[in-house]
Each structure stands twice: as structure tokens, then as C-alpha cells.
Amino acid sequence: MRLWRVVLLLNLAVAVGVLVGWLAWGRQIPRLERRLLESQQRVLIVGGEQTWIVKGVVRAVIPEIQVVVLTHDEIPGFMPSGMTMGFKVQTPNVLELARVGDVVRFTLKGVPPDVQITALVKEGQS
């Protein structure tokens, strides 16, 4: 095969590859830009103390380190829903109110990521 044919075929292959790549991924750019904008809007201003009242289910109580493990709803601007996290409690009295399997409403206060549960109210059993 002559050299010019090889060069022509390689250029054609590169052009087709770029076209297929753009068709497959180039169309995703507007969707990715929207998701980036949404995530930037959820970012908290660092340094300000926040307070959230959130609903969750108690998964474990660890009194030795004063931690309650909860599967919680969304904590706006901090964490998405459905996460299971351990949170420190402000006072040991809060631990006495938590039982595994309880559906609770708890108050979370602090400067992310250093937050603590300040109050906990039982709403039912899961």
C-alpha cells in the first residue's frame, strides 16, 4: 500500500474516533455543568456554626466514646440522606435516650465536620 493511502486512512480513523467520542461524551457537558452548579450551591461557608434538626434511625450506641450511630435523612448542605454515621453526643444524658431501632429526631450542632448531637427525641420504633 502506498504511503499516502496509509496516511489518509489514519487521518480518517482519527476523525471518526473524535466524532464518535464527541457524540458519546460531548453531549454530557450540559448535564455535568448542572450537577457541578448544584454541588457548589450546597457547599457551606466554613467557619460558621450550623444547627440542623434531622430524622434518623438509631443503629448503635457506643457509650465508651459517647457516640450514637444513626442512619439519617438529608442534612442540608452537609450530608446526603441514607448515610449511616456515628455522631458524638454533647452530654452523656443523650445516650440514655437512644435505643437501637428507635426512630428519632435529633439536633446536630457545630462547625462541619466537627458536629455533635445536642438533643434527641424518640418518635417511634423502626
Side-chain angles (χ1 to χ4, degrees):
M1 192 179 272
R2 295 193 185 258
L3 183 59
W4 67 271
R5 287 184 182 170
V6 171
V7 171
L8 181 65
L9 285 174
L10 285 175
N11 284 334
L12 185 60
V14 168
V16 168
V18 168
L19 178 64
V20 169
W22 180 82
L23 288 174
W25 294 103
R27 293 176 163 184
Q28 300 293 328
I29 291 173
R31 182 183 62 83
L32 293 172
E33 287 174 342
R34 276 194 311 273
R35 287 185 62 191
L36 178 63
L37 182 62
E38 289 171 3
S39 67
Q40 288 173 343
Q41 290 173 347
R42 292 182 184 172
V43 174
L44 289 174
I45 298 172
V46 178
E49 185 172 83
Q50 300 284 324
T51 302
W52 299 273
I53 298 175
V54 186
K55 188 174 180 180
V57 178
V58 177
R59 299 298 179 193
V61 178
I62 309 169
E64 295 83 20
I65 56 174
Q66 295 187 347
V67 169
V68 177
V69 179
L70 298 153
T71 300
H72 58 79
D73 290 344
E74 179 181 8
I75 302 172
F78 186 41
M79 291 183 187
S81 65
M83 292 186 68
T84 300
M85 300 281 303
F87 295 103
K88 282 197 148 302
V89 294
Q90 191 174 38
T91 62
N93 299 342
V94 176
L95 289 174
E96 296 170 6
L97 303 171
R99 298 283 178 256
V100 175
D102 286 350
V103 176
V104 296
R105 186 164 305 275
F106 61 97
T107 304
L108 198 60
K109 190 173 187 176
V111 179
D114 185 27
V115 295
Q116 292 183 340
I117 295 176
T118 58
L120 188 130
V121 177
K122 180 178 176 180
E123 290 192 341
Q125 189 74 21
S126 66

